[in-house]
Amino acid sequence: MRMFWTVLAILFAALTVGSLGSLNEETGTSIGFGDISLAVVLATLAWASWKTARR
């Protein structure tokens, strides 16, 4: 079960980095609240999965 939570944490971390990296892909657009809130949710899920894996 520990491996499952570790893999899940890595997946959420990669999704967080990907969502933050794609924020400035389109030129001329502003960063919306939804873009940042998605990154925050993914980062929180990564952190929670990592903490669960370490228990």
Side-chain angles (χ1 to χ4, degrees):
M1 197 66 177
R2 185 176 187 180
M3 180 68 134
F4 169 76
W5 290 110
T6 303
V7 169
L8 197 62
I10 292 169
L11 173 71
F12 282 134
L15 287 172
T16 302
V17 170
S19 69
L20 289 175
S22 68
L23 286 179
N24 290 328
E25 270 189 6
E26 299 177 27
T27 56
T29 60
S30 61
I31 297 173
F33 180 74
D35 297 329
I36 295 187
S37 63
L38 175 65
V40 168
V41 168
L42 289 172
T44 303
L45 288 171
W47 174 81
S49 297
W50 187 255
K51 291 299 274 187
T52 303
R54 297 297 164 226
R55 286 187 181 181

